[in-house]
Amino acid sequence: MQSLITNQVLQWAPFEDNNSTFERIIYLSHISDLLYVIDLNKDDFPFKRSIEDVTTALVSDEARIVNYISEAEKMTYELLPIKRKKELDEAWNFLKEYVENEPYIFMSDYRGPMVNECVEKSSYSMPKVHRLLKKYWRSGKLKIGMLNRYDKSGGPGSNKLATQDTKKRGRKRKITKLEPEKVGVNTDATIHKHMMVAYRKFHLREKLSLRESFKKMLRTFFISHYEEENGKSKPILLPREQRPEFKTYCYHVDKAKKSNFIGSSLALIGERRFNLDKRAKIGNQTKQALVPGSIFHIDSTIADLYLASSYREFLPIGRPVIYSVIDLFSHYIAGLYIGFERSYIGAAMAIYNTGSSKVDLCQRIGMTITPEEWPLACLPRQFTADRGELLNTKTTGLRTLLGIDIEYMAPYRADWKALVESFFNVYNVSAISRLPGEVSIEMRRRGDPDPRLKAVLTLNEFSQIIYDLAIWHNNYHWMEGYALDEDMIAEGVKPIPCDLLEWGMKRKGHCFRSFDEEILKNNLLPTETGRITNLGIKFKGIHYKCEQAVREGWFVDGNPRMGKKLNIAFDPRFTDKVILKGDNGIGYLPLDMVDSNHHAKQKTWDEFEHIEEVISLEKELYKEVEEQAEAERGYRRDNVVEMAKALKQESGLSNAKLIDGIAERTAFEKEMLRRTENFLHVETNNELPEQQVQVDSTSIEQAEVIAENPKRQSSGNSRLQALLAAQN
């Protein structure tokens, strides 16, 4: 059985009812078998109960003891304003001697005289003394429970809008000293509605300032009438005492902002900027990575620096792009790419540099380092990137063949990969700041020198500065914001990336994956399909070949490989060479362009596709001319045929006779053409002599007679013999 204690709270059945009764025990006497309780839901004085009755109710489950925390128990005396402390101390000094006189203070016969005496000693009224006593007992006999809760007075959260009968609120206007009748206007429901419309529509939606939105509200809702002046209408505002002041408008706007701060911020700056700049920064992204190599963040930024040409150092060039790859667990910079590639190939170069030797990487730009300074040359289990370069079908090899996952962040949520985003500021502050050619964050004012004219660093020199910064960060930078866990603190691990990486690999393992650089390079290249033709392997409009294909006769008609689709990996920067991926993903074959004089030679794929698109567009534009000319040609052909049909005479001969003798007639036509086609023949007249025409006619008739009787033909050319006989 539970023992009863002062300040316990009893809940009486039914327990599931929202109106269940709660009583606090404020006095307990086992000698007299009574206790005093006060109903927490009513404004009544304490009353007594029998301890035996309460105990019986507890045993029979008609009542139970519950954990009940009053609002006074959540308050702190030390944090109260000085004025409220004085008010509370004053009340306690007057009531202390009476509330400690238990149990007589609970009895009405004794309590009345005590209250009267307190009223006489203090300036309090009797209802106030009664109210303070009840608050003290309901709070569990806590001194701070007597504090007046002004924060709950006046209906918090509701607008106290004026009506027609409400007296003018607020401080009097200065103008009332001269004109007492101009007291101003109260904010009633109509004016408040106009203010909220102006706030939401003019300030939030149209992005006007508060002052401008207030002015637009006046000329929209507080117009007395319109007047015509010089043929134009102009609005006349209501008198100033009949419209609200700007400070009144600001007061109600401020209340609206506080009641819905997030909604107001979203409407004012938009969800994208709110997520980036105003969001609640709760949590620690580093804890998402359980071991080194589990998650790498990758992203790019444009360096705030103009560079000089590597070939003509006095000529400035553009700003390079920096791709960063960072291990989320240790904040170790695992890879970098600095160049001018901003498409997928730039991200692929960064990933390739991540998985390859950093000694060779630095050597290519003229920088010498030891393997111990930058040892990591591995890929992770997962890349976290935004919806940019890696969000395409070109990452097939990275995901399927190399087995690396890619997690894409939502658009406009750079805060979801805040680690790599924060490093962009590190580059600007620690490396780019004060370099010649730096682009100032502040807008360049008129007359300031152009930063492009100050560019002196080449790409290799700038890369050396950034790589040196990465080495310093990995090996020496103490990260003050890194949250060490208990195991790290116990073992004395320093928040330095290389120490965190080494400790994590030893104690927790890792997810790093190592690949051959050639395999890595080939799998990072984008892959599309080509087809075997008799002209070569056709890929995106260009034909390629290799020695194995020629030797095995891939391009010979009838070969079973003809028309087969192949997987081709290519570098978007060059069209000269591509790579043929073997069947079932096994093996690689380099392919060379068949036509060494092709116009795509030494061009990027984008340039070649642009040229092809231009040619295709020109062909489409020329198609109308071609179709028109073809229609005219067909029309002329049909006319010639129709005219020939009209001039053809019926011979009256059978089909067999018409066909027979074609060779002789052809020979005659050939002989006649030779007279005009002979290079040594000089024509003096385009028309044949009349005698010649007669001879030819006779020859044709004789030839036809001979053709009718083949037996009369000699062993020689009968057509020629007939022609010679006619001439003789």
Side-chain angles (χ1 to χ4, degrees), residues 702 705-715 718 721:
Q702 293 177 356
V705 173
I706 296 174
E708 293 176 0
N709 189 5
K711 295 181 180 180
R712 297 177 57 187
Q713 296 181 13
S714 62
S715 59
S718 59
Q721 290 178 0

Side-chain angles (χ1 to χ4, degrees), residues 327-499:
D327 177 40
L328 184 58
F329 178 86
S330 62
H331 296 194
Y332 191 94
I333 299 179
L336 284 170
Y337 167 72
I338 305 173
F340 296 98
E341 299 289 349
R342 295 198 62 191
S343 58
Y344 164 77
I345 199 64
M349 289 294 298
I351 297 173
Y352 173 73
N353 292 342
T354 301
S356 58
S357 171
K358 305 303 186 295
V359 176
D360 298 339
L361 172 65
C362 294
Q363 190 174 7
R364 288 196 293 268
I365 62 170
M367 183 179 178
T368 303
I369 66 171
T370 61
E372 292 76 17
E373 292 181 277
W374 205 347
L376 192 63
C378 304
L379 294 185
R381 181 184 62 188
Q382 173 186 300
F383 278 107
T384 297
D386 55 18
R387 304 172 68 85
E389 295 87 348
L390 295 181
L391 183 61
N392 52 47
T393 58
K394 299 176 182 178
T395 58
T396 304
L398 185 64
R399 288 180 292 185
T400 58
L401 300 180
L402 301 183
I404 297 175
D405 297 331
I406 301 178
E407 179 188 20
Y408 300 109
M409 296 291 97
Y412 307 114
R413 291 310 303 268
D415 55 296
W416 287 358
K417 49 179 178 35
L419 174 62
V420 68
E421 294 285 345
S422 64
F423 269 83
F424 299 154
N425 185 54
V426 174
Y427 297 145
N428 288 328
V429 174
S430 302
I432 300 176
S433 178
R434 296 182 299 279
L435 288 179
E438 177 196 6
V439 180
S440 176
I441 298 178
E442 299 180 357
M443 184 178 295
R444 189 164 63 92
R445 292 171 296 193
R446 184 176 181 181
D448 289 350
D450 193 329
R452 291 172 291 187
L453 303 178
K454 295 184 178 181
V456 297
L457 295 174
T458 63
L459 180 62
N460 285 351
E461 293 167 344
F462 177 67
S463 299
Q464 292 177 15
I465 295 175
I466 299 298
Y467 288 170
D468 192 45
L469 172 64
I471 294 172
W472 168 83
H473 169 83
N474 289 341
N475 297 286
Y476 303 104
H477 179 51
W478 185 288
M479 299 181 294
E480 295 184 359
Y482 190 93
L484 298 172
D485 60 25
E486 294 182 359
D487 295 335
M488 294 176 181
I489 296 173
E491 298 187 21
V493 179
K494 300 181 182 65
I496 300 174
C498 64
D499 291 359

Side-chain angles (χ1 to χ4, degrees), residues 199-200 204 207 256-271 274:
Y199 166 62
R200 296 189 184 96
L204 295 181
K207 311 301 181 185
K257 286 182 178 180
K258 289 179 179 178
S259 63
N260 187 14
F261 173 75
I262 295 179
S264 299
S265 299
L266 286 172
L268 184 60
I269 64 176
E271 183 177 1
F274 178 83

Side-chain angles (χ1 to χ4, degrees), residues 39-194:
D39 195 328
L40 299 180
N41 297 329
K42 296 180 180 180
D43 188 23
D44 294 337
F45 283 107
F47 58 95
K48 63 182 178 181
R49 285 186 181 274
S50 170
I51 295 179
E52 183 179 357
D53 294 342
V54 173
T55 304
T56 304
L58 291 174
V59 173
S60 61
D61 290 334
E62 295 180 5
R64 64 182 180 182
I65 298 174
V66 296
N67 186 18
Y68 190 97
I69 301 175
S70 64
E71 291 185 350
E73 294 178 85
K74 302 176 184 178
M75 302 172 66
T76 306
Y77 176 81
E78 289 77 11
L79 300 181
L80 293 176
I82 297 176
K83 184 177 180 181
R84 306 303 305 281
K85 287 181 180 179
K86 290 182 179 180
E87 177 186 333
L88 184 60
D89 293 339
E90 182 184 75
W92 178 249
N93 292 332
F94 287 130
L95 295 176
K96 179 179 179 181
E97 59 177 305
Y98 303 112
V99 297
E100 291 179 350
N101 191 4
E102 298 178 346
Y104 301 104
I105 188 65
F106 305 127
M107 304 175 187
S108 60
D109 294 340
Y110 293 96
R111 183 172 59 244
M114 293 182 189
V115 171
N116 292 331
E117 182 180 346
C118 180
V119 170
E120 292 176 359
K121 292 171 56 177
S122 66
S123 59
Y124 297 162
S125 63
M126 184 177 295
K128 182 174 182 180
V129 174
H130 288 169
R131 186 168 61 251
L132 290 174
L133 290 173
K134 294 174 185 176
K135 290 168 63 176
Y136 172 74
W137 290 323
R138 279 198 296 267
S139 67
K141 297 198 291 189
L142 297 176
K143 170 184 172 181
I144 201 171
M146 294 188 295
L147 188 68
N148 290 323
R149 299 299 303 274
Y150 296 121
D151 56 315
K152 293 184 174 293
S153 358
S158 60
N159 289 312
K160 285 69 176 180
L161 302 178
T163 62
Q164 295 180 352
D165 301 329
T166 305
K167 185 180 179 182
K168 176 65 178 72
R169 296 169 172 172
R171 186 175 56 184
K172 292 184 178 180
R173 299 186 178 190
K174 295 180 180 179
I175 192 65
T176 56
K177 295 180 180 180
L178 301 176
E179 302 178 24
E181 69 279 2
K182 296 184 177 181
V183 294
V185 62
N186 280 323
T187 303
D188 58 10
T190 303
I191 295 178
H192 183 265
K193 179 181 178 181
H194 294 334

Side-chain angles (χ1 to χ4, degrees), residues 518-538:
E518 193 66 25
I519 298 297
L520 178 60
K521 186 188 303 180
N522 291 335
N523 280 283
L524 284 174
L525 292 176
T527 302
E528 296 186 14
T529 56
R531 189 183 297 272
I532 297 177
T533 68
N534 56 356
L535 299 178
I537 299 175
K538 186 177 182 180

